[in-house]
Amino acid sequence: MVDIARPLAPFLRRPPTPPKERTSKLSEDNGFQNGLIIHHSLDTPDESPSSSIEYFKTTSERARKKVGFSGWTQFHRPPSNTNKSYDSDDLRSLPPSRDCKSSKSILKPSADYAALDGINALLTFDNSNLPAMLRSAIQHLSSDSRSSHLDAYGSLLACLSTYEDVPNAGDLAGGVAEITGHIRRDVSTRTLGDGSMDIQLATQALKLVTVFLCTPSLAVNIPDDFRSFIVEQSFGCLENENVPKILVSHYMHLLERQKFGPKIMTAERAKRLLLALDSITTRVKGNRIIGHRLMIYQRLLSQAKSVMAFEVERWIDHLVAGLLSTIKDIRARAIPFGIEAGLQLGAMQIVSKACLDVFNRKSPEGEKVVDRLCSRLTEMMGPKDEAVHVAQIWSVAILFLRSHQEQIERWEHLRAWLIIIQRCFNHGDAQVKFQAYLAWNRFMFAINIGTTTAESVANMLKQPLVTQLERNRNDKFNEKSKLPKQIARSSYCTLLYYALRPSATHAQLDQYWDLYVVDMIPKSFALDNHDINHACDILSALLSNGGQYRIWDQNRANLNGPVKPEELPSLDSKWVRSRVGKIMQVFDKLFSLADWQLDSDREAPLILSWRSFMSALGQASSKEIKVSTDTADAVAQILNQVKRCSNQSVDQRSPCEILKRYVPSQI
């Protein structure tokens, strides 16, 4: 082992560097007095090198201090403690840190707190006792202390955020009117120095107002005069370019949360708000401001729908910009607003025209906005977090083009627009496919399929469903496409929901029964038992007419939840009786594929669908005194079908037993 102490011995004997200034003496209470004894001060030579701090001082500063060395060297060794043991009494224990107090506070003294120490000692907050906390908060708000106001707002916000359902809301509601009076004062408070707005106090007050507005039991107790005041105050801040961004953001958040009625949010105020929002980004920058603006637009749809329609040019550009944004949060706010606006306003001529004008507008480079949209959506198909938004944005444009029946069919950019949704259907991610089917459901809703629908469009509506439903069970993508196939079944029910609507004429029923039922069920629902049973459930719903009235909703495709077979409208029983041959074409295929065996808890779906068919025939003939030609033809075709079933040994019982089991006596 190398001894490093011997070469360093001359340096170790060098006396320690003395302090720059003479130390008077050690305190008698420092606890080290017994272990260190100072005999006398040390001197240093004339030209002692300066420390690193002294080195960076100016020449004049260094020249003021002169240090000299003594002619001889004298230093003192520290006492050796290696063999000395200290008793516990020799060591002084330090007090706990919580009991230690600094001799001098680092904070500046505040006359505000000093003058109100007595009040603050009495007015304490207790979040476990809501009425007491409310009384204490009101007392704080009634004082002249700014800090007390901040404490009151903070305690109220903490209490309301602690209890989700706001227990004893009646106790708090009684003081809402009084609290709003203090809020009116604090959102208008100016600082004593330069007269600017007190941002911290106004921010806390606005947060509390927003909580009140989001709590129905508290919102009803807000006085109308305060509602009008806060709306006007919000408008003034949005229009004033000198208001700080943080206050603008809070006022916009308040406006997106409010649900004021037409008495407060009048048409004039709605127009003023749209005008202020149209130019807000020229005064205040930031993605949060853009997001708040989109949310306020969505709120105005339910408060001033007519104003939003007639002032469409003030917000349609901002909607398109939000849909094209590269910021995920902005797109996430633009999409629901666009869908809701398209549903509520898309059928209006003025709105559809404004949307087409924006799509056809050219940039300085000559590129149309619709072409930019197509390019942007194509780019978004790459990243997964962006691809999931493509189909939703695609459906927004479709919903705005519904001012007349054939507007979408005649749209010059429809082909390019359909290529985008086709890529969504072919995407490898299940969530992207799910959104594609939801967008296709909205497309069915927008087409409003009827007898005037072009044959090419009617055929196009079923193509994505056929492709998904006819996937081979041995397809390597079958496991991945399990969920999309279930969604495709639901979309097929959506297609039948609109094509075979209760108001459809017999001609429309003939056309779309052949196109969507006869052509699809025997092929698209013949791969496995789940598909076959689902097809039987669909037939049971369409042919069943058990006297229960089913509500048909034009907006069903846009509601939450998939369309189920039991929601399908019942077909006219007289149409069913006169089209037995068309209906039997579907049953012929199902008879050879479906399971006739009874389940443990219910009968086979095929049997239930057949009974629904027989029930519809019986109802159509129930009021006939003399058998009609349609009834006679229907019975003849049914008997022929029963005979074929017996000959093919589908059911091992005799034809008479089959007839008795499956054909009701009224026929």
Side-chain angles (χ1 to χ4, degrees):
M1 183 176 181
V2 180
D3 187 3
I4 64 174
R6 185 174 301 171
L8 299 177
F11 299 98
L12 295 176
R13 292 191 181 95
R14 181 187 176 192
T17 302
K20 300 297 180 181
E21 297 178 1
R22 179 182 298 272
T23 305
S24 59
K25 63 178 180 178
L26 296 177
S27 173
E28 296 179 356
D29 298 329
N30 58 15
F32 295 96
Q33 186 176 4
N34 295 332
L36 180 62
I37 301 175
I38 299 179
H39 296 283
H40 52 79
S41 301
L42 299 177
D43 295 326
T44 55
D46 286 339
E47 297 181 357
S48 175
S50 301
S51 63
S52 60
I53 298 178
E54 293 291 324
Y55 179 79
F56 290 100
K57 289 186 177 182
T58 61
T59 306
S60 60
E61 291 176 329
R62 285 183 285 171
R64 285 197 297 267
K65 182 174 181 179
K66 295 182 179 181
V67 181
F69 279 94
S70 173
W72 61 88
T73 301
Q74 183 179 4
F75 67 94
H76 303 276
R77 296 181 181 274
S80 176
N81 298 328
T82 56
N83 297 326
K84 181 178 180 179
S85 60
Y86 291 94
D87 296 334
S88 59
D89 296 338
D90 295 335
L91 300 177
R92 185 182 64 179
S93 60
L94 295 175
S97 59
R98 63 176 178 271
D99 297 336
C100 297
K101 295 183 179 179
S102 59
S103 58
K104 184 178 181 181
S105 174
I106 64 174
L107 300 177
K108 296 180 180 180
S110 174
D112 186 20
Y113 284 102
L116 295 166
D117 285 340
I119 297 178
N120 291 336
L122 297 175
L123 303 179
T124 57
F125 295 111
D126 184 7
N127 289 347
S128 62
N129 189 344
L130 190 60
M133 186 276 299
L134 177 61
R135 291 192 298 269
S136 181
I138 293 177
Q139 290 179 2
H140 273 67
L141 292 174
S142 302
S143 67
D144 296 332
S145 170
R146 175 182 179 275
S147 60
S148 296
H149 299 169
L150 292 174
D151 291 341
Y153 289 131
S155 297
L156 286 172
L157 289 171
C159 179
L160 293 176
S161 62
T162 301
Y163 302 102
E164 183 177 355
D165 296 329
V166 191
N168 301 323
D171 298 329
L172 185 58
V176 168
E178 186 173 357
I179 294 175
T180 54
H182 299 301
I183 293 175
R184 184 197 296 256
R185 172 201 63 202
D186 292 333
V187 296
S188 306
T189 300
R190 303 283 176 172
T191 59
L192 297 178
D194 55 359
S196 61
M197 298 184 66
D198 192 332
I199 298 178
Q200 184 181 12
L201 190 60
T203 298
Q204 292 296 100
L206 291 175
K207 287 181 180 179
L208 186 59
V209 175
T210 305
V211 172
F212 285 171
L213 294 175
C214 295
T215 308
S217 58
L218 302 178
V220 296
N221 294 278
I222 299 178
D224 287 343
D225 61 336
F226 179 78
R227 296 170 186 256
S228 299
F229 163 78
I230 202 65
V231 167
E232 293 293 334
Q233 182 77 6
S234 302
F235 292 175
C237 288
L238 297 186
E239 296 166 346
N240 188 352
E241 60 182 9
N242 296 323
V243 176
K245 178 180 177 179
I246 186 173
L247 283 183
V248 174
S249 178
H250 278 287
Y251 275 113
M252 294 183 74
H253 181 63
L254 185 150
L255 290 173
E256 76 179 52
R257 293 290 183 177
Q258 54 82 26
K259 298 180 181 179
F260 297 149
K263 182 179 178 181
I264 304 299
M265 188 59 69
T266 61
E268 291 74 13
R269 283 176 173 166
K271 291 180 181 178
R272 181 184 172 189
L273 178 56
L274 288 176
L275 181 62
L277 293 175
D278 188 18
S279 58
I280 186 67
T281 51
T282 61
R283 297 184 295 274
V284 185
K285 306 294 183 181
N287 294 329
R288 179 176 296 181
I289 301 299
I290 297 175
H292 285 318
R293 178 168 61 184
L294 293 170
M295 297 296 289
I296 295 174
Y297 287 152
Q298 188 171 358
R299 177 65 64 192
L300 287 177
L301 282 175
S302 60
Q303 294 179 306
K305 178 179 176 180
S306 60
V307 175
M308 289 290 289
F310 288 105
E311 300 291 333
V312 60
E313 295 180 353
R314 295 199 179 278
W315 55 265
I316 189 66
D317 287 327
H318 303 308
L319 171 60
V320 175
L323 297 175
L324 291 173
S325 176
T326 57
I327 308 300
K328 182 179 178 180
D329 291 340
I330 294 180
R331 291 198 310 271
R333 296 192 177 194
I335 289 172
F337 164 58
I339 292 176
E340 187 172 350
L343 292 175
Q344 295 193 30
L345 309 176
M348 297 182 180
Q349 179 68 31
I350 186 175
V351 177
S352 290
K353 184 179 182 303
C355 184
L356 286 175
D357 291 342
V358 173
F359 287 166
N360 295 326
R361 185 187 303 159
K362 292 184 179 181
S363 64
E365 294 77 16
E367 184 184 22
K368 289 185 177 181
V369 173
V370 66
D371 296 330
R372 175 70 186 112
L373 264 172
C374 293
S375 301
R376 173 64 182 141
L377 294 181
T378 303
E379 294 173 1
M380 292 172 61
M381 292 299 297
K384 184 178 178 180
D385 59 337
E386 292 186 355
V388 73
H389 288 160
V390 173
Q392 302 177 61
I393 297 173
W394 183 90
S395 65
V396 170
I398 292 296
L399 293 175
F400 273 97
L401 304 178
R402 298 183 297 115
S403 61
H404 55 82
Q405 185 73 21
E406 296 85 13
Q407 184 174 11
I408 297 179
E409 302 174 26
R410 299 176 181 177
W411 187 31
E412 57 180 334
H413 302 287
L414 179 61
R415 182 178 181 84
W417 207 243
L418 290 173
I419 293 176
I420 296 174
I421 197 65
Q422 182 180 3
R423 292 173 179 171
C424 294
F425 282 121
N426 296 331
H427 200 276
D429 185 71
Q431 186 63 26
V432 176
K433 286 187 176 182
F434 173 73
Q435 293 296 336
Y437 281 107
L438 293 183
W440 199 251
N441 292 345
R442 298 188 186 106
F443 186 52
M444 299 175 191
F445 162 80
I447 289 293
N448 196 23
I449 188 170
T451 54
T452 60
T453 303
E455 183 179 355
S456 59
V457 175
N459 280 283
M460 178 184 60
L461 290 176
K462 71 175 184 178
Q463 290 306 316
L465 313 181
V466 170
T467 302
Q468 185 63 49
L469 292 172
E470 292 184 2
R471 283 190 181 274
N472 193 303
R473 67 180 66 190
N474 297 323
D475 194 333
K476 63 180 180 179
F477 297 106
N478 194 9
E479 291 299 325
K480 294 182 180 180
S481 62
K482 195 171 184 180
L483 179 60
K485 191 169 186 178
Q486 295 175 355
I487 303 171
R489 293 174 187 158
S490 173
S491 293
Y492 177 69
C493 291
T494 304
L495 181 60
L496 297 180
Y497 190 89
Y498 288 100
L500 306 178
R501 64 186 66 196
S503 60
T505 62
H506 283 194
Q508 181 174 336
L509 294 178
D510 290 338
Q511 179 182 355
Y512 295 119
W513 178 272
D514 292 340
L515 183 61
Y516 298 145
V517 180
V518 177
D519 290 350
M520 289 188 64
I521 285 184
K523 299 177 182 179
S524 303
F525 290 86
L527 296 180
D528 54 49
N529 290 333
H530 292 290
D531 290 340
I532 296 171
N533 291 337
H534 190 78
C536 293
D537 292 339
I538 290 174
L539 290 177
S540 296
L542 291 174
L543 301 175
S544 175
N545 198 346
Q548 296 182 355
Y549 179 73
R550 300 176 192 171
I551 299 177
W552 189 86
D553 188 359
Q554 174 71 28
N555 198 39
R556 178 61 184 88
N558 305 302
L559 303 179
N560 293 329
V563 178
K564 300 178 181 179
E566 54 266 25
E567 299 180 57
L568 295 176
S570 299
L571 300 178
D572 184 7
S573 60
K574 292 184 179 180
W575 180 87
V576 172
R577 183 185 61 181
S578 61
R579 275 40 173 206
V580 171
K582 292 178 177 291
I583 299 173
M584 291 304 302
Q585 293 180 30
V586 182
F587 276 105
D588 282 342
K589 183 67 174 180
L590 294 178
F591 283 156
S592 60
L593 296 175
D595 186 8
W596 286 74
Q597 299 297 323
L598 303 181
D599 295 337
S600 58
D601 55 345
R602 70 185 186 99
E603 292 183 301
L606 177 60
I607 297 177
L608 296 176
S609 63
W610 178 259
R611 284 184 177 176
S612 297
F613 180 33
M614 295 296 101
S615 177
L617 295 178
Q619 184 176 8
S621 308
S622 61
K623 296 183 179 180
E624 290 183 353
I625 299 175
K626 183 179 179 180
V627 178
S628 64
T629 303
D630 290 340
T631 301
D633 292 342
V635 172
Q637 295 185 59
I638 295 299
L639 293 177
N640 290 334
Q641 179 64 37
V642 172
K643 183 178 180 180
R644 286 196 300 271
C645 290
S646 177
N647 294 337
Q648 296 172 2
S649 301
V650 175
D651 196 319
Q652 299 298 326
R653 286 168 291 216
S654 65
C656 293
E657 293 177 345
I658 297 175
L659 183 65
K660 182 178 180 180
R661 182 175 179 82
Y662 300 122
V663 180
S665 58
Q666 56 264 41
I667 295 184

